[in-house]
Amino acid sequence: MTPEQRNRLVEQLEILLPDEGLYPSLSDGIELVRSNHVTSRQAIIYQPILYIVLQGSKQSYLGSECYRYDPLNFLALSVPLPMEGHVIEASPEKPYLAIKIGFTKEMILEMMVQVPAMQENVLANRGVCVSPLTERMEDALVRLIDALTDTNRASLLAPMVVKELIYYALLGPQGAQLAAFVTQGKYHERIAHVINYIQSHYADPLDIATLAGEASMSVSSLHQHFKSVTNVSPLQYIKQVRLHQAKELVSMPQGSISDAAYKVGYQSLSQFSREYKRMFGVPPSQSA
């Protein structure tokens, strides 16, 4: 992409995003992001997305691992993961600008039918990676952002361009990773199922035996493969999901610490407070 093309994309996004924040676009499943300042690390449960940076820089963290994405690089996330992230390069004169494109397992499977070779022998571990945009993805991105400036084009053309972006992502170096998490019969698909199960049942009593049964795997196999995808054990993942959800609850106006603890599955308020402080560095009372 030429500097002139990227400048035009930046200008279009600045028009679509006159203020800071995260905003829905004119097309379902696509959100636009603007920040005029660097931000502190925030905990969030990322859903499956292609996250493309147009200007500025961001870093995300999965446990001890750090993922940085700069202009015309994208973060591909194929399973829900509790991560932390913050903008590390932004200013009012040159704001951080990005686009978040959500996708589903069904969309990946549909595109895989059209991909001639899916790099079956490439090992896919983590459910997250950062890659540069290919030339064809850059071209599709230009057309996508242009479509988002008009209501009719956004509803008719944007979904087709999103499919095109996913198609080219599957053809790239991260393609095997994206495909692995939706391919029936591979352990990646089973781990993705367990992750989605935890997302829906985190407030319930959960143990490793129950999760192993959901995955049709042995306890030791589940533990090994789950950690290869998420960088944490299943029980650590459950704890992170619960604490991330609790952080949102206690941050709400009139949020009750005890209600938040019980709603996410904690039976002991003291244990909740202790683990909350260990994860976020402050007690829940300072997040309220």
Side-chain angles (χ1 to χ4, degrees):
M1 182 181 297
T2 66
E4 291 76 15
Q5 287 177 312
R6 189 158 74 89
N7 289 338
R8 182 171 181 270
L9 291 184
V10 167
E11 290 172 1
Q12 287 177 311
L13 280 182
E14 287 182 329
I15 292 172
L16 293 170
L17 290 167
D19 299 310
E20 288 187 284
L22 172 67
Y23 296 94
S25 73
L26 293 174
S27 182
D28 291 340
I30 301 176
E31 296 178 305
L32 305 175
V33 186
R34 174 174 178 155
S35 178
N36 294 342
H37 307 87
V38 298
T39 62
S40 58
R41 285 173 63 159
Q42 297 290 325
I44 186 171
I45 298 176
Y46 285 101
Q47 298 298 322
I49 54 168
L50 296 180
Y51 190 115
I52 304 171
V53 175
L54 270 296
Q55 184 168 268
S57 298
K58 185 175 184 179
Q59 284 186 174
S60 292
Y61 306 86
L62 179 62
S64 60
E65 297 176 352
C66 176
Y67 298 86
R68 174 169 176 153
Y69 28 124
D70 301 309
L72 301 184
N73 283 268
F74 70 96
L75 176 137
L77 193 74
S78 51
V79 291
L81 290 174
M83 302 178 72
E84 293 184 304
H86 62 146
V87 174
I88 60 172
E89 185 179 323
S91 68
E93 298 76 23
K94 196 173 182 180
Y96 170 82
L97 300 168
I99 180 170
K100 294 175 62 177
I101 303 169
F103 62 84
T104 64
K105 172 181 176 180
E106 290 70 28
M107 292 171 69
I108 296 290
L109 287 171
E110 179 184 350
M111 292 298 102
M112 284 179 63
V113 175
Q114 304 176 48
V115 178
M118 281 315 308
Q119 308 169 50
E120 296 289 349
N121 296 324
V122 178
L123 181 63
N125 288 323
R126 294 284 185 265
V128 58
C129 64
V130 172
S131 297
L133 292 176
T134 65
E135 185 176 343
R136 287 178 172 175
M137 291 181 76
E138 289 179 357
D139 178 64
L141 179 63
V142 170
R143 287 182 280 112
L144 177 61
I145 294 178
D146 183 65
L148 294 178
T149 62
D150 177 83
T151 303
N152 291 331
R153 293 202 303 272
S155 62
L156 294 174
L157 300 180
M160 291 189 286
V161 181
V162 166
K163 288 184 177 181
E164 188 178 348
L165 276 167
I166 293 172
Y167 177 81
Y168 289 130
L170 284 168
L171 289 176
Q174 71 289 328
Q177 183 174 34
L178 289 172
F181 289 93
V182 298
T183 303
Q184 297 291 335
K186 293 187 176 182
Y187 76 81
H188 301 84
E189 192 274 338
R190 300 185 192 182
I191 297 303
H193 171 73
V194 171
I195 288 172
N196 286 319
Y197 183 85
I198 294 172
Q199 293 283 322
S200 301
H201 298 83
Y202 63 84
D204 301 333
L206 293 174
D207 56 49
I208 190 70
T210 299
L211 299 179
E214 284 292 323
S216 299
M217 300 169 73
S218 68
V219 169
S220 60
S221 181
L222 172 66
H223 190 279
Q224 174 189 347
H225 294 311
F226 193 98
K227 192 166 186 179
S228 75
V229 171
T230 65
N231 199 31
V232 294
S233 70
L235 296 182
Q236 288 174 318
Y237 183 89
I238 294 169
K239 182 188 298 184
Q240 289 183 4
V241 171
R242 287 173 171 170
L243 291 173
H244 278 73
Q245 296 290 347
K247 191 172 189 291
E248 290 189 17
L249 293 174
V250 295
S251 299
M252 293 179 178
Q254 310 302 318
S256 165
I257 294 173
S258 58
D259 285 348
Y262 297 134
K263 283 180 179 178
V264 301
Y266 277 89
Q267 300 302 312
S268 167
L269 186 57
S270 60
Q271 180 187 2
F272 168 71
S273 297
R274 182 171 59 253
E275 293 182 352
Y276 189 102
K277 183 177 181 180
R278 185 179 300 125
M279 182 167 184
F280 299 117
V282 295
S285 58
Q286 293 186 22
S287 295

